[in-house]
Amino acid sequence: MKRRRSDQTAQEPGDAARPVTRGKAPAGETAEGAPKRTSTRARVLATCRDLFNERGPAAVTTAEIAAAVGINEGNLYYHFQRKEQILEALFSDFERRLEAVATAHATADGRARYAPYLAGWFTLMWEWRFFYRDGGTIFRLAPSLRPRLKSLSDAGQDHVRQALAGMKAAGLLSAGTAETEHLIVNAWIVSTYWIDYLRSRRGLDEVRREHLDWGAAQVASLFRPYLTEAGLAAAELG
């Protein structure tokens, strides 16, 4: 007996069934290169990043996540059974974004490519600030992220090391091997823990754009003594 072919595609829970019209693209789309709807999973992750940035992962409930996405908790459970899984998925996105920022200096030509490099790091920290602000809480909720963070930090420092080597070769930076290593470590410490500093010393409750600029200025001050005149101009610090 022949099996009857279904005329509907499989749907995720919470998504309305969408009939398939054979041989003809839906209105507003083309047969090739048709725009894809944002998946429920992607919307959950984008919403969680916003909520976690605003309030921290421990303060956000699954009910609030589902309501903000516009689905019920059962549909949320279909994609993520625990908040730990949400954090792990967000960390994977963060890893990809950090890799792109860390290697940005290698994707452009000329001295001008180093000017936006520092700004790129701090934009990343703004977009994913809950990872920097709520590290202790995150490791309690998702302990599997601790070794992944170490690997990510090691890789990130290696990329910074390559960027500084390129700046030396371009005549923008004048620093010995030991000085360069100190720069890498100290810049990493400041760029990772500047939010903690502001919270403990200034009672900061909410990270705003001006705080981002302040953090970037602290890191820039570490590099200033080692930048040549050309380096100061290229980094727009002259």
Side-chain angles (χ1 to χ4, degrees), residues 34-232:
K36 295 181 180 179
R37 292 182 304 166
T38 302
S39 70
T40 301
R41 186 179 188 276
R43 289 191 292 118
V44 168
L45 292 177
T47 299
C48 285
R49 191 181 76 171
D50 290 341
L51 291 173
F52 292 172
N53 276 337
E54 181 182 348
R55 296 165 50 200
V60 178
T61 67
T62 55
E64 289 172 321
I65 294 170
V69 177
I71 59 177
N72 61 48
E73 287 192 75
N75 293 337
L76 177 62
Y77 184 82
Y78 172 83
H79 296 281
F80 301 101
Q81 289 76 52
R82 302 183 308 278
K83 194 181 291 185
E84 176 184 4
Q85 294 174 329
I86 295 175
L87 287 168
E88 289 170 347
L90 284 171
F91 192 82
S92 294
D93 289 345
F94 175 63
E95 284 178 316
R96 288 188 287 271
R97 182 74 179 100
L98 189 146
E99 174 75 12
V101 169
T103 58
H105 67 91
T107 61
D109 296 322
R111 291 179 170 182
R113 60 182 167 166
Y114 296 105
Y117 192 59
L118 179 61
W121 278 104
F122 275 82
T123 298
L124 174 78
M125 292 171 192
W126 170 257
E127 294 172 346
W128 297 90
R129 55 194 176 278
F130 75 92
F131 272 129
Y132 294 88
R133 182 192 62 209
D134 306 314
T137 298
I138 289 169
F139 290 142
R140 285 195 298 272
L141 292 171
S144 63
L145 292 182
R146 192 178 292 275
R148 289 178 63 183
L149 178 61
K150 182 184 183 305
S151 297
L152 184 65
S153 298
D154 290 343
Q157 289 190 17
D158 284 340
H159 288 309
V160 173
R161 190 172 289 107
Q162 294 170 24
L164 296 186
M167 291 180 70
K168 288 183 187 179
L172 306 178
L173 187 73
S174 178
T177 301
E179 292 170 324
T180 300
E181 289 303 310
H182 291 158
L183 268 177
I184 293 169
V185 172
N186 290 330
W188 197 267
I189 291 171
V190 174
S191 61
T192 300
Y193 297 108
W194 62 278
I195 294 178
D196 284 341
Y197 174 85
L198 289 177
R199 292 175 73 181
S200 63
R201 295 288 295 169
R202 300 187 183 181
L204 180 69
D205 292 323
E206 179 184 356
V207 179
R208 297 190 297 273
R209 280 286 181 178
E210 59 262 33
H211 301 129
L212 193 73
D213 295 338
W214 180 90
Q218 308 315 305
V219 175
S221 69
L222 297 173
F223 286 88
R224 186 185 291 272
Y226 300 100
L227 292 173
T228 64
E229 290 187 10
L232 289 170

